[in-house]
Amino acid sequence: MEECRAIIPTYEGEEHVVAAAHHMVKALMASKNLTGDFKKILVDLDTHLSTMTILNERKGDELSEVELRLKCAEKKIMNRESKQLMIWDSGSKQVLEYLQAVEEVQTLKESLESLSLNGGEKQKRLLRQAESILQIAMVRLEEELLHILRHKKQSFEPEFASFHSCEEVVVYEESIVSVEDDISEDSSRRDSNGDESKEYTIGLINPEVIPHLKSIANVMFASNYDQEFCQAFIGARKDALDEYLGILELEKLSIEDVLRMDWGNLNYEIKKWIRAMKIIIRVYLASEKRLCDHILGDFGSINPICFVETSKVSMLRLLNFGEAVAIGQHLPEKLFSLLNMYEALADLLLHIDALFSEEAGASIRIDFHKLQRELGDAAGATFMEFETAIASYTSTSPFPGGGILHLTRYVMNYIKILTEYSNTLNLLLKDQNGEDPEPLIEAENAQGVPSQVVCPVAHHLRSIASLLESNLESRSKLYKDVSLQHIFLMNNIHYMVQKVKGSELRGFFGDEWIRKHMVKVQQRVTSYERTTWSSVLSLLREDGNSGSSSPWKMILKERCRGFSIAFEEVYKNQTAWFIPDPQLRDNLRILTSQKIIQAYRGFIGRNSENLSDKHIKYSADDLENYVHNLFEGSPKSLNNRRK
Amino acid sequence: MPATEYQGSFLGRISIRRNQIASMDGNHEQDLEDLEIFQKHVADRFSDLLSASDATADASVDPLLSIAWLRKLLDVFLCCEAEFKALVFMGRDPSHIARPPLDRLIPELLERVVKALDVCNAVTHGVESVRHWHKLAEIAVTALEQRPIGEGQVRRAKKALSSLVASMTVEDKESINSKATERAWSFGRRGSKDRIAGQFRSLSWTVSKSWSAAKQIQLMLGNIAAPRGAESTGLASPVFVMSIVLSFVTWTLVAAIPCQERSGLPTHFPIPRQLPWAQSIIGLQDRIGEDWKKKEKKGSAGLLEEMQKMEKLGQSLIEFADSFHFPAEPERVEEVAAQVTELAETCRKMEEGLGPLQQQIREVFHRMVRSRGEMLDILDQAGKVSSPIM
């Protein structure tokens, strides 16, 4: 071919010109009176022109052959047009035949193009014809492509991608990967991924048809119909992803929807979102990327561009929900959800960076990182506001019975759960506080206090506890009865200590804190004893008087009566009070018994001569039983028992 | 939030001097002067944008509602927004914000911001649709740039352009009648359920079906009222200016770029005509409003200049394709060549502009998120937020 192009003149109708020139040369050569030189030139020219004629004739033959082959391929291609059945549904022989026909047209078109400078009418006509046939074939291939993408798409149950057990997923992945390896020519790909044990992919398209897709891609790209291929491929894969978000039950929500949503529903949506994020990024998109690699891996930068175009809209939708949650109100109950979201994204950062490493995916990568930061900020701010909330959560009426305030329970359980997020929170709080060391603790640390006690979270947890304590202090003032103030504080601080002792909180609060607060509880117990019982006990004191003088008898009788009334009063009040902790309750009863009953028993014993049964309303044993009714939270009365 | 924290973020963009801000607390005269400067800047910036619509002959000016023009609009918004925050919040005691009428006006502005955020998202997705059309137009350009023009290439171009025009119409009709979408999706050459190329589900939106861009704009404009009497010299004024700027920018994006449910988009803004700073905005609003009314009748996908051009050229080239017989008449070929060059030029503008435009819409989005957070913090500090703000 190269040779032809060099020799053949480039203007139209050159066959006639060559023929005319040849004719003239022949005529000149027939003349007798020619010099040797001139003759030689004419002979050379003659040979030249002869070759050209032969070549032109040969080219004519060639074009005829091209025409024949083109007709044959066209027949095969047009034949399919009249049939309803999809080619890839009609068996591999048909597929092969069709692909060969298309490739034939391509080859013919190329060779016609390389002749095109020649400009022969027939050649031009054939080239147009080849292009036309090719276009018909390309439309067909695009339809076949969409058909395969649509009908051979595999959905996977989200359950399979559950993250409760990594083991399970790995096992699942293994089986799929081994299936895929059978059809994939290059098994080295898996080796390169072998180290990333955390990455698992599934087949989004039936593995059987991946070579089909690949062959369609190859032939469409070879015919310069790559744009059509990519648009169809991206469109279909985009739809599949959109559909999958539906399978994951993600609602289509605007930011306003999210901001207006009540907490219960929002919490539910957040849970679904976290799960969807993990599945989409770790499994679905990883698989999508592999699919793109399989099919478009040979076509350079088109591959990552198609992948990004496929995932972009859905990724934006997912990110947008996170954004909406992050800008919502900083309610305390949202903290755990925000932390869960933050941690989920933190786990996915490396995956995102790997999936969208190319320039085309930069904006998704950046937005993802930005969202993670925003969620972190929101979590930090919510945590700070939690502290404010505790301080401002006040009341004007006392909590009935002196039991454990719901705020105490809420705060303690809340911070107990927070310890599970301590690593994340430490990170976030460090950012929020800047340098805010606690010099006191720092000094203690030098003496070998466990390091957990000095982390930012520990500092904040203790500050939350002390905010709670001062809230309790001011609430206790709402009780008119000072004894009940002590009971209330004893109960609540005891509850705090128990929570700290029995959980991870212990490490953050430290033994020193526990010791101090146990002392506080004990102080409240002592204060209670003193406040309630000192005046009662004073009635049983004998002030050194003795004997059986009649005024003394009267005094004794009065005191005995006074004691009974005082006890009844205490009984009436304090049976209504409540100490939920059985040990603490028993402890207090025993102390009371030891103090009161023994004093009473002694008093009765010493004065048995002066006091008849008539004056002794309650026996020591009676009282002992009555003490056991205290702090049960159900008011009782002794007034109508015995006269 | 201490004033110094604002400094790094956007003080560079604004022209109000720092020392003026510091003395602003309670200084009414200074406030008035700053307000005037702010309004003047707003007026200047929008008058630049308006001049684009007048100077149609001047090639150096970006035409109204072109990608380049929209990018300028978004820049203007970012500048106004930064200046607004500096004027109203910077160096001011939070308690000022908690006083009437600001205690009502700022939360109302924040509600508008939330709506604008959703519109930004909708528009971001709209740009994705435009990008898809751009790809289809590129196919047509590739095909029709071949010489000589043969049947194969003409059919190739026609297929791409038909998808383009059909998809534009679907995109637009979708907002009016979702059944049209299903119909358009289900026609295929073989009568199978496969959609014609380029018609995909993902053109559907990412928010619930009931969400309407037009409704959001209506709500944004609904409770805007120009401050009267004494209020007009106080901080109520910049809030009003900002509300108008925000609503106008959002409205323009909705009119220009495909967006979910645009029927009933307002064409009138509640701006008193005599306000000097608002003249350019009113002028632009009138122009775009007129265009929109025409658009609603005609049913095109949006006012984006490049998109309208693409649609027009697409339709004309489809006509050419429909009547094409080889060989085409030389005059016709020349005519088509000119159109293809124009389409290629439009494609180039899209190729260069759509990505940055989308990026900029995200930037506006993130800026509004951040500002909203800052404003909420200030309201929080003022402690006057009795009812939770959304």
Side-chain angles (χ1 to χ4, degrees), chain A residues 128 132 142-143 239 255 320, chain B residues 118 121 190 195 197 326:
Chain A
R128 280 205 317 275
S132 174
E142 194 181 324
E143 280 171 21
D239 279 3
I255 291 181
N320 192 46
Chain B
D118 276 327
N121 274 329
R190 239 157 284 269
R195 297 152 194 167
F326 187 85

Side-chain angles (χ1 to χ4, degrees), chain A residues 104-330:
Chain A
E104 171 86 345
V105 177
Q106 249 171 51
T107 320
L108 294 171
K109 185 180 156 244
E110 271 164 30
S111 55
L112 284 165
E113 270 165 353
S114 64
L115 282 170
S116 71
L117 291 176
N118 200 359
E121 265 317 312
K122 187 175 182 187
Q123 189 183 324
K124 280 184 181 171
R125 183 174 54 76
L126 287 176
L127 183 57
R128 280 205 317 275
Q129 198 184 340
E131 274 180 353
S132 174
I133 301 167
L134 207 55
Q135 195 268 339
I136 292 167
M138 290 300 134
V139 173
R140 180 62 193 239
L141 286 173
E142 194 181 324
E143 280 171 21
E144 297 280 339
L145 169 71
L146 285 173
H147 181 78
I148 296 174
L149 287 173
R150 180 162 314 283
H151 296 279
K152 299 292 177 175
K153 160 178 84 183
Q154 294 187 142
S155 193
F156 64 98
E157 291 298 307
E159 278 76 18
F160 281 125
S162 118
F163 287 81
H164 298 303
S165 154
C166 255
E167 297 276 338
E168 227 177 81
V169 184
V170 172
V171 169
Y172 178 71
E173 179 230 2
E174 289 279 320
S175 64
I176 291 293
V177 168
S178 56
V179 168
E180 292 240 326
D181 271 355
D182 291 342
I183 59 108
S184 153
E185 306 97 309
D186 92 17
S187 52
S188 68
R189 192 178 297 284
R190 195 176 72 128
D191 293 340
S192 64
N193 287 345
D195 285 341
E196 297 175 57
S197 56
K198 274 192 173 172
E199 192 158 317
Y200 25 90
T201 53
I202 40 106
L204 297 174
I205 296 277
N206 184 341
E208 282 171 25
V209 301
I210 294 205
H212 303 168
L213 295 173
K214 178 85 179 136
S215 61
I216 294 177
N218 286 344
V219 78
M220 286 184 79
F221 273 71
S223 313
N224 293 324
Y225 277 69
D226 47 331
Q227 291 154 296
E228 275 92 343
F229 180 90
C230 290
Q231 286 308 298
F233 185 75
I234 292 168
R237 295 309 306 154
K238 240 182 182 174
D239 279 3
L241 178 51
D242 187 55
E243 213 173 284
Y244 193 65
L245 290 183
I247 293 175
L248 292 175
E249 291 169 33
L250 288 185
E251 305 287 337
K252 293 190 165 182
L253 297 167
S254 68
I255 291 181
E256 203 170 359
D257 290 339
V258 173
L259 292 178
R260 288 196 194 282
M261 203 176 258
D262 67 71
W263 171 241
N265 286 329
L266 181 56
N267 195 22
Y268 180 59
E269 290 301 323
I270 289 174
K271 284 193 174 124
K272 283 196 292 187
W273 181 85
I274 289 173
R275 176 164 160 277
M277 266 304 205
K278 288 178 178 174
I279 296 173
I280 291 291
I281 290 164
R282 292 177 66 175
V283 185
Y284 190 100
L285 287 183
S287 312
E288 187 75 50
K289 179 123 179 150
R290 211 169 48 130
L291 179 67
C292 284
D293 287 345
H294 274 312
I295 293 164
L296 299 166
D298 298 337
F299 305 115
S301 65
I302 285 181
N303 178 14
I305 290 170
C306 280
F307 172 72
V308 171
E309 291 288 313
T310 298
S311 42
K312 191 170 179 185
V313 168
S314 293
M315 276 308 291
L316 280 178
R317 180 177 148 193
L318 285 167
L319 291 173
N320 192 46
F321 176 83
E323 200 89 48
V325 175
I327 67 170
Q329 269 193 288
H330 300 154

Side-chain angles (χ1 to χ4, degrees), chain A residues 142-143 146 150 227-236 238-239, chain B residues 128-129 131-133 135-136 139 159-171 181 184-185 187 194-204:
Chain A
E142 194 181 324
E143 280 171 21
L146 285 173
R150 180 162 314 283
Q227 291 154 296
E228 275 92 343
F229 180 90
C230 290
Q231 286 308 298
F233 185 75
I234 292 168
K238 240 182 182 174
D239 279 3
Chain B
E128 283 299 303
S129 299
R131 259 174 204 256
H132 174 64
W133 299 335
K135 297 284 178 215
L136 292 172
I139 293 175
K159 179 170 177 291
L161 292 173
S162 304
S163 286
L164 167 76
V165 171
S167 163
M168 271 186 173
T169 325
V170 168
E171 193 87 331
T181 325
W185 279 342
F187 67 83
D194 287 310
R195 297 152 194 167
I196 61 162
Q199 304 276 319
F200 296 103
R201 274 163 58 96
S202 35
L203 292 178
S204 65

Side-chain angles (χ1 to χ4, degrees), chain B residues 243-258:
Chain B
S243 293
I244 290 292
V245 169
L246 175 68
S247 307
F248 174 75
V249 170
T250 324
W251 174 79
T252 307
L253 287 175
V254 169
I257 298 168

